[in-house]
Amino acid sequence: MSFLRHPAFLLGANLSAILGSTLYLRSHHVYNLEEHEARMDELEGTLRGHIGLIEEALDRLEGTATEADRGKKMNDYYGKRGGDEKSK
């Protein structure tokens, strides 16, 4: 078992352990970034939908809205996502 004490073996073992842990942490980080982006997209759509509802309520209070406009702004805002705008 003298090969376990050889400097080349120790260096190789240390480098492989560092490489393995680095690759694992990178993949974990990439996964977390993708999950975070998905949550932010969902939150953005929800906020856009709420903004549409608030604007519709304001239009109804001002008396400028018709029954045909009901739900239109919310759907327009909710359907228009930031990810869609970024890709253009």
Side-chain angles (χ1 to χ4, degrees):
M1 289 247 208
S2 64
F3 71 92
L4 293 177
R5 294 183 183 177
H6 195 272
F9 174 78
L10 293 175
L11 180 66
N14 282 333
L15 289 178
S16 64
I18 290 170
L19 177 67
S21 62
T22 301
L23 290 176
Y24 170 73
L25 289 174
R26 183 187 180 281
S27 68
H28 189 66
H29 183 66
V30 167
Y31 174 78
N32 283 338
L33 286 175
E34 291 171 354
E35 289 291 316
H36 177 71
E37 184 177 356
R39 283 191 300 269
M40 291 298 106
D41 284 345
E42 184 177 343
L43 180 64
E44 179 186 7
T46 302
L47 288 173
R48 285 178 179 269
H50 283 88
I51 289 169
L53 287 173
I54 291 168
E55 286 189 1
E56 286 177 0
L58 182 62
D59 288 345
R60 283 195 308 271
L61 287 173
E62 292 173 346
T64 59
T66 62
E67 191 62 34
D69 294 337
R70 185 170 220 150
K72 185 174 184 264
K73 280 191 179 181
M74 183 201 56
N75 290 332
D76 288 344
Y77 277 120
Y78 186 76
K80 183 176 26 168
R81 299 273 179 106
D84 299 335
E85 294 169 359
K86 290 176 192 172
S87 63
K88 290 181 182 177

